[in-house]
Amino acid sequence: MATIKSFAAPHKGLRNIISKFSFQLGHTDFGEPLQLNKLKALGTDMFTLLKDHVDTENDHTLKYLEERVHGASAHDKHDHEKLELIQDTLEHQLENLTGTESADEIHSFYLNFSMFHSQYLEHIYEEETVTELLLQQNFTDEELFQHRAAIMQKISFPVMLLWMKYTIQAQSEKESLGMLAGLKAHAPEQAFKEVLGVIEAEMEIERYKSLIGKL
């Protein structure tokens, strides 16, 4: 049975940024333009990663699984369709916030996002406890590694930077060292420096120093 966990890293990154957005949404003063713009910027990062992740799963991970086990991807794809509709509505609402909303309107948006948050956590939990096992049972580690490599080749550099920004700080040092060592070996030097830059800006200084010291 394969040991590679295809969902672990991206799901840690998504749990991180969704939780950050929920926390920031709860304390943002919508009447303060700087606070509202900061919330919108974080929301842009979040929705970018959410959309990239669902496309990656549909076009790669679930596609490979469906080819090997007919029908195995149906449940996750159905969940994706439902969640994307909610996602798109929330993203549109966020983009159109002006700071003139009433307290009730702001609270309604907060509750709607909280409901999405809970549904998304339930969805990725099921992927990690059901779909992950199907992948491990039906593919070798080498095949799963090849799937991961194909996904990395597809991701644009700006989106990859976002994944590094929110995933590295959400992982154990051992997990992050494995990810960064592979990136360091294959990425241009300047690109790798940019990756370290976004990680340093987001990560606690002691954790960052420990991580870099072991690369």
Side-chain angles (χ1 to χ4, degrees), residues 32-71:
E32 292 291 335
L34 288 178
Q35 291 190 36
L36 181 56
N37 288 338
K38 185 178 179 182
L39 179 70
K40 288 188 174 186
L42 182 61
T44 297
D45 285 357
M46 177 182 67
F47 288 118
T48 296
L49 292 184
L50 284 168
K51 286 184 281 190
D52 180 73
H53 184 60
V54 73
D55 289 344
T56 294
E57 286 191 352
N58 288 341
D59 296 343
H60 292 270
T61 311
L62 296 179
K63 176 186 174 183
Y64 302 139
L65 180 60
E66 183 66 25
E67 289 171 351
R68 193 149 297 185
V69 185
H70 182 66

Side-chain angles (χ1 to χ4, degrees), residues 13-213:
L14 290 173
R15 286 185 177 99
N16 182 22
I17 193 170
I18 294 172
S19 296
K20 282 180 183 290
F21 183 84
S22 179
F23 176 71
Q24 192 161 311
L25 175 59
H27 69 71
T28 292
D29 182 345
F30 281 59
E32 292 291 335
L34 288 178
Q35 291 190 36
L36 181 56
N37 288 338
K38 185 178 179 182
L39 179 70
K40 288 188 174 186
L42 182 61
T44 297
D45 285 357
M46 177 182 67
F47 288 118
T48 296
L49 292 184
L50 284 168
K51 286 184 281 190
D52 180 73
H53 184 60
V54 73
D55 289 344
T56 294
E57 286 191 352
N58 288 341
D59 296 343
H60 292 270
T61 311
L62 296 179
K63 176 186 174 183
Y64 302 139
L65 180 60
E66 183 66 25
E67 289 171 351
R68 193 149 297 185
V69 185
H70 182 66
S73 69
H75 179 78
D76 287 344
K77 286 185 175 179
H78 180 62
D79 274 1
H80 289 170
E81 291 173 1
K82 292 190 299 181
L83 289 167
E84 279 189 286
L85 289 175
I86 302 171
Q87 244 173 250
D88 290 345
T89 298
L90 289 168
E91 183 178 18
H92 180 72
Q93 290 174 340
L94 179 65
E95 289 173 347
N96 287 282
L97 291 174
T98 63
T100 61
E101 291 75 20
S102 68
D104 284 343
E105 288 172 328
I106 293 169
H107 188 59
S108 178
F109 180 67
Y110 177 80
L111 292 180
N112 289 338
F113 183 78
S114 293
M115 178 61 74
F116 168 74
H117 190 174
S118 66
Q119 292 172 328
Y120 200 86
L121 289 178
E122 181 179 10
H123 166 66
I124 60 177
Y125 171 79
E126 184 163 352
E127 285 186 327
E128 290 183 53
T129 56
V130 178
T131 313
E132 190 83 84
L133 290 179
L134 287 172
L135 291 169
Q136 292 176 329
Q137 289 166 357
N138 289 281
F139 295 92
T140 65
D141 275 337
E142 177 60 29
E143 288 174 319
L144 293 176
F145 181 80
Q146 290 173 356
H147 295 173
R148 182 181 293 174
I151 291 168
M152 290 300 293
Q153 290 174 359
K154 164 248 179 190
I155 296 175
S156 69
F157 186 65
V159 174
M160 190 270 287
L161 282 177
L162 283 182
W163 279 114
M164 295 296 105
K165 179 178 181 179
Y166 295 105
T167 301
I168 293 297
Q169 66 168 246
Q171 296 185 132
S172 70
E173 185 171 84
K174 181 179 179 181
E175 291 169 327
S176 293
L177 284 171
M179 182 178 289
L180 290 174
L183 191 61
K184 184 179 181 180
H186 297 97
E189 183 178 355
Q190 182 56 39
F192 189 67
K193 286 182 178 179
E194 289 187 50
V195 169
L196 295 185
V198 298
I199 294 170
E200 182 178 14
E202 197 75 13
M203 202 172 189
E204 301 94 328
I205 188 63
E206 292 304 319
R207 286 187 64 204
Y208 178 77
K209 286 182 178 178
S210 178
L211 179 66
I212 296 306

